[in-house]
Amino acid sequence: MKKMTVSRRSFLKAMGATIALPNIITSSALGAGGRPPASERIVMAGIGMGGQGSGDLGEFMGDPRIQVVAVCDVKNQNLDGIKNAVNGQYNNQDCKGYVDYREVIARPDIDLILCATPDHWHAQITIDAMKRGKDIYCEKPLTLAIGEGRKMVETARRFGRVFSCGSQRVIGDYGALACAARSGRYGKILDVYADPGGPPRICYLPGEPIPPNTIDWDLWLGPAPWAPYHHFRCGQAYGLDGEGFRSWYDYSGGMMTDWGGHKFGAALHGMGLDSTGPTEIIPPDGKDHKYLTYVFANGMKLHVGEDGPKYICEQGEAHPLHETKVPPGLRWYEDGANSPIKDLVNCVLSRKRPFQDVEYAHRTATVCHLGNICYKLNRKLQWDPDKEDFIGDAEASRLVDRPRRGPWQI
Amino acid sequence: MIKKYAVVLTLVGLAARMSLGDVWQDLAKYQYGEGNAADEAEQLLQKTPVAQHGAIEDALIKVVSAREATPDGKACACRMLQQIGTEKCIPAVAGLLADEVLSHYARLVLERMGSPQADEALRTALDSAPDKVKIGILGSLGARRAVNAVKQITKLATHSDPAVAAAAIGALGKIGGTSAAQILRKLKPAESLQPVHMMALLDCARSLKGSSAMELYQLVLASPTAYRLDALSGMLGADEKKAVALMVDFIKGDDLQMNRGVLTLVGGGKSERLTKAMAAVLATLPDEKQAALITVLGVRGDRAALGSLAGYLASTNDRVRTAALTAVSKIGDEGTVKLLLSDGAATESLARMTGPGVNDALIQALEDNNLKTPAIRALVARNCSAAVPALFKLLNDGVGDVRQAAWAGLGSLATEDEMVPLAKAAFALKDEGELSWGVAATRNACAHAADKAKCFEVVAAYYDGTTEAAKAVIVELAAQVGSPTAMDVVKKAMKSGNKEMYRNAVRSLAEWCHENAADELLDLAKSAPEEGERILALRGYIRLAGNGPNLNPDQRGEMLKKAAELATRADEKKQIISALEAAHNAVTLIIVNRYMDDPALRDEAEQYAATILEHIFTDHRDKDFPAAEVKELANKLLTSKNQGFVDRAKKALADLNK
């Protein structure tokens, strides 16, 4: 059987020869077969094709404006399965498989990148891709560190890119409640509760042999500190049970960032505070503060507890209204979209900013990271949401960003 | 309890070890996967007040410096120094910079440290470090914007190893300034390094102003790449006039990537010159491009474009007109409201308009005969309760469509405070059609009220004197209220002697929102005159067993037991299975055990069997579940085709035997 995967070595050999790379626009990509013309078509690639990535790709492929021409994963098992699935759906062999994302973003025919890798790769891949003129759909959580998010926003703005983060729950699950809380029926919002789950921990698992032909380990680690292979380091298991990457500080912000992308994202959206941040973060002390608490400049508080999101307003707790109406001033999907993926596809064509534009996603991720830093340092922190730095706490400021392993820089 | 003891013992042990300094000795010997030294050291740091971090730093410096310390121990020590390290630790950490693995851990400490000594350590290491390690050090120097390292880095920008050269070029761009600019401008890198060089030029240009920046942007603009977009956005700050002219060209041109990118740039930023130039170019574009540019001018939100955009509301091209509607609503204010109301399709746009005067302008438009209906629609979409008094006035409007819209608006916007006048006006209507509008409005207002019971009291007072059709609406509404008065109304309907009204009442009970209908439903399930009514009642009863808001698990279990005795159809039994999860007790265990034997229910029963076994043996071991029933269920589940369920059953049987 012909091997479709382009090896990293062969790519590096051809490095720089951008013009030598195949310009893979198929006949159908040009509007044949009843599909939309090129100006209304989006040629895309998926990077990080585990469970979430392949699921997202499936939704993208359900949109006739999308054609997937490349998939990429450092795990062979993920890669082969998804590439065959895409080609099976299109009934051709146009979709190519890659291990190294740099080969994918070097292709000039690709407009849009889906990034669904583990968190420690999000900033690197999306920033590199935006510099190559690609629009982005990046799975949540957006980042591994606050500093990464600001650089992602800056790059999107500098390069005129459309960038959406992915949480279907902010509107899908919690949007009606946000509409109620902002409807005026309950008065001013005072306190919001939302509990995404706990922070990650550092992984001290011992090394074990890498099963042959399964994973490019150095590439999986990427910008993260070097560490020996262990299948639980890079596992896809969900949760903080120590069997998947989400448990580990070097690759994820734990459930705080994972479900924080949903619940904090929803809370900030409903509070109308999704383009700023808190001014104070207070750790739980078992007395005055039962939960970790974020205090915002307007006096609203976000408490990390009680499942939520739950809005306590002047007139009591808000509940979804009989009829959901989006109040003026509450951001929503564009052009009738009903999911972040549809919203992004609309915006790639219209050049509007999607509902989960990178700035909002960055502000959400920042709240998650601030919580993790507060848990780690276990003291009250003052935060400047404009400068995006802590006030008067040099130790905390060190944790705003993470130095990256060479050669990975953003 | 055992967990609590374990935590206490760990903390006691940790405290003892802290005083002996064992934690740091163990950390120096630490290897991944062996012992807890790294976790213990982390915990110790977390528990130590900031004022005492100096002592911890001293201990960590010893670990980092110790010749015999393990690489894993040193890596862990660096992680902690990343947080608390001061200039004191720099010499020790710098000793790791040349190490292929530990260099990055050393950079964790140095890269974000404010001290210039960190620059010095990185610069010193740069010359002697192996090439592979140089790459990371260059990254740190770039991130630190280490201007004093430019000379050293410049030498590496032409290194024979492309990866080293790329890192050096990238670092020069990040450091920026005139020296770096001069070097980058003269640099003629190999083709493979051109993307890195472009980016470095752009990064560097951002650190400069005016012509110095323009010189670098011009170099990038000469290349046919997406990097030109950043050059354009940067040029807006350096030479706005030139940048705007180029952007206009790209908007007119056929380069799809640049066209899309420039449109996005137009959507952001604050240049008034850009707004005006884009508004001016609109008229020269074909429809498709016109619509696209109007859209992003709306996103841009600059009122300087409003006059031009309003002109496109009359476009004959649908895409252009729709784009103009959206854009005008985004930029416009109360002054734009009437303009948008004149367009029948503008409700959505009006609904999302912000600005303090928009609601007032819409309420004012209720006085304009041509705009009343669209204004009502917009006010409803905006949830504008301030419009309620004006809507009451419109109930007497001379135009039927306006009266109907006003009733619909009141149904949506009225609160419990307006319930009395609303119901009075509604039930006073004589015309059957108008009465249906009024009754629907009272129903809707009651259904979305916070205090439904209070509102229903008002509506119920009109029950006896109204028409059969209106009664049916009140009976239907009663299900959503669930109050004693609501129950009285439904019982009255059942005894009315009207067969259709009786059915309405049964349907209402089947949808009842409160468990106070349980006894009524159970009786109906046993003895309602028609089979359809008995089925409806039983389904309602099962639903309440699962969802009734104030029931405890035992009460739910009892209800489900009674439902199971009555259920004869597979769909009813499946509904029972789906309700079992709300109870999880001995009764539900017995029910599912019985249903496991029915092939028609097997799939659903297996799902619940696995769930309850998980429940019994994880969270609720102490609950009184009959062991024989548990064993029987687990044995039945062993024959499942689902391996996960089989594993669950095996685990349950093993747990039972413990």
Side-chain angles (χ1 to χ4, degrees):
Chain A
M1 200 176 96
K2 192 181 172 190
K3 197 176 177 217
M4 298 302 291
T5 307
V6 182
S7 78
R8 194 173 162 213
R9 187 171 293 173
S10 67
F11 166 68
L12 291 174
K13 208 172 166 185
M15 257 291 269
T18 308
I19 48 165
L21 287 166
N23 186 348
I24 307 169
I25 297 183
T26 62
S27 58
S28 60
L30 293 170
R35 307 195 73 173
S39 63
E40 292 174 25
R41 294 288 306 285
I42 301 166
V43 180
M44 76 171 284
I47 300 172
M49 292 288 103
Q52 188 64 44
S54 53
D56 287 347
L57 201 74
E59 188 180 340
F60 273 109
M61 290 178 69
D63 190 320
R65 297 169 294 181
I66 291 287
Q67 179 160 5
V68 176
V69 298
V71 286
C72 175
D73 203 297
V74 296
K75 288 182 174 176
N76 291 347
Q77 190 187 353
N78 290 347
L79 183 58
D80 292 341
I82 192 71
K83 188 190 70 179
N84 292 337
V86 172
N87 283 333
Q89 185 155 330
Y90 288 138
N91 199 22
N92 60 29
Q93 294 296 313
D94 291 349
C95 180
K96 307 297 175 199
Y98 298 85
V99 173
D100 192 324
Y101 78 95
R102 289 169 294 188
E103 296 174 75
V104 178
I105 64 169
R107 281 180 56 168
D109 60 324
I110 292 172
D111 306 308
L112 172 65
I113 297 290
L114 155 66
C115 178
T117 62
D119 315 356
H120 65 290
W121 264 113
H122 287 180
Q124 188 75 47
I125 289 173
T126 60
I127 286 177
D128 286 350
M130 285 191 282
K131 288 174 181 173
R132 293 302 189 106
K134 315 302 181 197
D135 294 322
I136 305 291
Y137 184 86
C138 181
E139 258 306 327
K140 58 90 202 148
L142 184 74
T143 51
L144 192 64
I146 294 168
E148 292 180 344
R150 181 45 58 203
K151 287 171 194 159
M152 290 158 94
V153 175
E154 283 171 4
T155 309
R157 300 296 181 253
R158 282 172 58 173
F159 285 81
R161 293 299 98 205
V162 174
F163 188 130
S164 175
C165 191
S167 162
Q168 76 285 6
R169 294 182 191 273
V170 172
I171 284 182
D173 288 4
Y174 310 125
L177 186 57
C179 289
R182 291 281 293 279
S183 68
R185 281 181 184 265
Y186 295 96
K188 193 178 158 197
I189 299 169
L190 304 173
D191 291 85
V192 181
Y193 292 81
D195 186 2
R201 56 193 195 276
I202 294 171
C203 179
Y204 298 118
L205 287 167
E208 60 183 25
I210 301 175
N213 301 319
T214 54
I215 188 170
D216 184 329
W217 181 239
D218 189 60
L219 204 51
W220 190 89
L221 285 173
W226 190 88
Y229 171 84
H230 189 290
H231 68 287
F232 283 163
R233 269 187 192 273
C234 56
Q236 288 174 200
Y238 200 72
L240 298 177
D241 58 1
E243 296 185 5
F245 74 87
R246 288 180 186 84
S247 298
W248 312 124
Y249 175 83
D250 284 339
Y251 324 117
S252 168
M255 286 298 111
M256 269 296 269
T257 60
D258 195 279
W259 264 86
H262 296 310
K263 291 193 174 183
F264 290 159
L268 294 172
H269 174 231
M271 295 161 89
L273 296 171
D274 47 7
S275 55
T276 180
T279 53
E280 202 169 62
I281 308 101
I282 305 164
D285 59 9
K287 292 178 287 182
D288 300 332
H289 296 95
K290 187 176 173 189
Y291 306 117
L292 188 142
T293 301
Y294 303 92
V295 183
F296 292 80
N298 64 358
M300 284 187 201
K301 288 178 184 160
L302 172 59
H303 308 269
V304 186
E306 302 189 11
D307 195 9
K310 180 167 128 180
Y311 297 85
I312 307 298
C313 308
E314 287 169 325
Q315 312 292 329
E317 185 183 343
H319 294 285
L321 299 173
H322 186 62
E323 191 183 355
T324 298
K325 292 177 198 160
V326 183
L330 186 68
R331 297 184 311 99
W332 210 254
Y333 294 140
E334 292 288 343
D335 301 325
N338 58 5
S339 76
I341 285 179
K342 285 273 180 288
D343 186 46
L344 183 267
V345 172
N346 288 347
C347 290
V348 167
L349 294 173
S350 71
R351 311 314 290 174
K352 291 181 185 174
R353 286 190 186 163
F355 171 69
Q356 290 192 55
D357 173 62
V358 61
E359 172 73 32
Y360 303 114
H362 162 56
R363 295 295 187 165
T364 294
T366 296
V367 167
C368 305
H369 296 311
L370 290 174
N372 275 344
I373 292 170
C374 187
Y375 278 135
K376 183 181 172 79
L377 301 182
N378 196 28
R379 57 180 178 258
K380 188 191 279 190
L381 300 168
Q382 308 288 328
W383 175 251
D384 182 334
D386 297 325
K387 292 181 182 159
E388 297 191 314
D389 199 359
F390 292 96
I391 299 167
D393 194 324
E395 284 189 7
S397 288
R398 298 261 188 97
L399 303 176
V400 168
D401 210 346
R402 302 189 191 192
R404 310 171 77 75
R405 194 165 67 104
W408 307 105
Q409 289 297 325
I410 53 175
Chain B
M1 189 58 110
I2 292 169
K3 272 187 182 172
K4 275 187 187 167
Y5 273 124
V7 171
V8 171
L9 287 173
T10 307
L11 290 176
V12 169
L14 188 59
R17 286 161 58 75
M18 277 162 58
S19 61
L20 295 171
D22 286 353
V23 173
W24 310 115
Q25 288 172 23
D26 286 354
L27 187 67
K29 290 182 254 171
Y30 180 67
Q31 291 193 320
Y32 288 148
E34 292 181 8
N36 296 320
D39 280 326
E40 287 178 359
E42 255 189 86
Q43 286 174 38
L44 183 52
L45 173 60
Q46 195 181 21
K47 290 174 199 305
T48 305
V50 177
Q52 292 166 34
H53 281 181
I56 292 187
E57 184 181 10
D58 290 341
L60 292 169
I61 289 170
K62 280 185 191 163
V63 174
V64 169
S65 314
R67 189 182 292 262
E68 67 282 6
T70 60
D72 291 351
K74 290 183 181 186
C76 293
C78 283
R79 283 183 185 275
M80 284 179 264
L81 286 170
Q82 179 185 7
Q83 179 191 326
I84 65 165
T86 65
E87 287 182 345
K88 196 166 50 169
C89 78
I90 291 177
V93 171
L96 304 179
L97 276 171
D99 183 283
E100 195 169 317
V101 169
L102 293 176
S103 181
H104 180 221
Y105 286 93
R107 289 193 296 108
L108 294 182
V109 185
L110 298 173
E111 188 174 304
R112 293 189 52 77
M113 192 184 271
S115 168
Q117 287 184 36
D119 285 337
E120 198 53 41
L122 289 161
R123 282 178 53 205
T124 305
L126 188 60
D127 288 335
S128 55
D131 286 351
K132 195 174 174 188
V133 174
K134 278 189 172 81
I135 294 167
I137 295 174
L138 284 163
S140 288
L141 286 166
R144 290 177 64 79
R145 300 201 161 89
V147 178
N148 57 1
V150 166
K151 205 170 170 185
Q152 247 176 307
I153 296 172
T154 303
K155 290 180 199 158
L156 297 173
T158 50
H159 197 279
S160 57
D161 180 342
V164 176
I169 294 168
L172 286 171
K174 292 262 162 56
I175 291 168
T178 47
S179 305
Q182 207 174 353
I183 295 152
L184 288 168
R185 210 170 47 232
K186 288 179 187 165
L187 205 62
K188 302 282 178 217
E191 194 176 352
S192 67
L193 294 173
Q194 277 176 9
V196 176
H197 184 223
M198 285 299 170
M199 202 55 229
L201 287 167
L202 291 165
D203 283 338
C204 188
R206 296 268 169 177
S207 71
L208 304 171
K209 286 182 178 165
S211 58
S212 310
M214 279 300 290
E215 220 174 323
L216 303 189
Y217 289 134
Q218 294 282 15
L219 287 173
V220 177
L221 275 171
S223 77
T225 63
Y227 293 100
R228 287 176 294 171
L229 286 161
D230 187 31
L232 282 175
S233 63
M235 277 172 70
L236 278 172
D239 185 342
E240 191 187 43
K241 193 176 172 187
K242 196 163 192 173
V244 168
L246 282 168
M247 288 166 87
V248 168
D249 287 345
F250 281 119
I251 288 289
K252 288 178 172 174
D254 294 327
D255 181 335
L256 186 60
Q257 187 184 51
M258 290 304 288
N259 190 274
R260 281 180 175 173
V262 171
L263 281 171
T264 319
L265 294 179
V266 171
K270 285 177 183 151
S271 159
E272 195 181 329
R273 185 194 293 269
L274 181 59
T275 307
K276 286 183 175 167
M278 291 298 161
V281 83
L282 267 175
T284 68
L285 299 174
D287 287 344
E288 193 181 321
K289 284 191 171 187
Q290 229 172 38
L293 185 54
I294 288 170
T295 298
V296 295
L297 282 168
V299 173
R300 185 172 178 78
D302 187 343
R303 286 181 60 84
L306 189 57
S308 304
L309 295 179
Y312 293 91
L313 288 173
S315 171
T316 51
N317 181 288
D318 274 353
R319 289 178 78 162
V320 173
R321 199 179 64 83
T322 306
L325 266 178
T326 309
V328 169
S329 69
K330 282 194 172 165
I331 299 176
D333 56 14
E334 62 270 25
T336 327
V337 165
K338 280 200 172 182
L339 184 68
L340 289 170
L341 278 174
S342 312
D343 190 305
T347 306
E348 178 70 14
S349 303
L350 284 159
R352 307 296 302 278
M353 271 184 90
T354 53
V358 174
N359 283 344
D360 288 345
L362 284 166
I363 291 170
Q364 213 174 2
L366 293 176
E367 291 167 15
D368 184 329
N369 281 338
N370 296 321
L371 302 178
K372 282 175 183 172
T373 309
I376 292 171
R377 277 203 300 265
L379 285 161
V380 168
R382 293 173 66 81
N383 223 356
C384 176
S385 53
V388 168
L391 293 179
F392 267 112
K393 283 184 193 166
L394 291 177
L395 296 181
N396 299 314
D397 194 271
V399 180
D401 284 352
V402 173
R403 292 198 300 277
Q404 186 176 10
W407 276 115
L410 284 168
S412 196
L413 300 176
T415 64
E416 43 252 61
D417 294 340
E418 285 100 24
M419 205 61 206
V420 171
L422 183 70
K424 189 178 172 188
F427 288 102
L429 293 165
K430 301 296 175 204
D431 177 87
E432 203 169 319
E434 301 228 359
L435 177 65
S436 71
W437 302 340
V439 173
T442 52
R443 178 197 57 200
N444 292 346
C446 182
H448 71 231
D451 191 345
K452 293 183 179 63
K454 185 180 159 194
C455 290
F456 192 81
E457 295 285 336
V458 176
V459 179
Y462 292 95
Y463 181 81
D464 290 335
T466 194
T467 64
E468 293 298 295
K471 280 179 180 167
V473 175
I474 297 173
V475 168
E476 180 202 332
L477 172 64
Q480 296 180 55
V481 178
S483 66
T485 306
M487 182 59 82
D488 288 346
V489 165
V490 169
K491 283 182 178 171
K492 203 183 273 185
M494 292 177 78
K495 290 174 187 164
S496 67
N498 179 328
K499 203 168 181 182
E500 188 53 38
M501 194 57 73
Y502 179 87
R503 280 203 195 103
N504 286 336
V506 174
R507 271 197 290 271
S508 179
L509 284 169
E511 296 295 323
W512 208 254
C513 64
H514 191 275
E515 58 273 5
N516 61 6
D519 291 346
E520 201 71 38
L521 283 165
L522 188 61
D523 285 348
L524 285 168
K526 289 176 182 168
S527 57
E530 292 189 10
E531 191 189 10
E533 289 154 357
R534 290 196 297 275
I535 291 170
L536 267 179
L538 181 56
R539 286 179 184 167
Y541 184 74
I542 298 166
R543 193 180 50 75
L544 277 184
N547 300 343
N550 304 305
L551 296 169
N552 64 39
D554 289 342
Q555 289 169 319
R556 291 185 201 283
E558 278 310 305
M559 283 177 72
L560 289 166
K561 188 178 166 189
K562 287 174 187 168
E565 285 164 7
L566 290 175
T568 53
R569 297 157 174 271
D571 54 354
E572 285 158 3
K573 292 176 182 174
K574 285 179 184 177
Q575 196 191 350
I576 289 173
I577 294 172
S578 67
L580 294 177
E581 205 157 332
H584 281 331
N585 57 22
V587 176
T588 64
L589 178 69
I590 292 164
I591 292 172
V592 75
N593 233 336
R594 197 188 325 152
Y595 285 172
M596 285 285 278
D597 301 329
D598 184 340
L601 306 175
R602 180 74 189 199
D603 288 350
E604 289 80 3
E606 282 189 3
Q607 287 274 1
Y608 180 68
T611 304
I612 194 169
L613 289 175
E614 177 83 27
H615 178 82
I616 292 169
F617 290 103
T618 52
D619 310 330
H620 297 268
R621 291 183 68 93
D622 55 338
K623 262 209 150 186
D624 186 21
F625 287 95
E629 286 281 349
V630 175
K631 191 174 180 183
E632 187 184 337
L633 184 65
N635 276 322
K636 286 177 183 174
L637 194 59
L638 278 177
T639 61
S640 170
K641 288 174 187 166
N642 180 318
Q643 190 55 44
F645 293 168
V646 174
D647 292 345
R648 180 64 263 171
K650 282 180 184 167
K651 191 163 186 310
L653 288 168
D655 284 350
L656 260 183
N657 292 330
K658 275 180 191 168

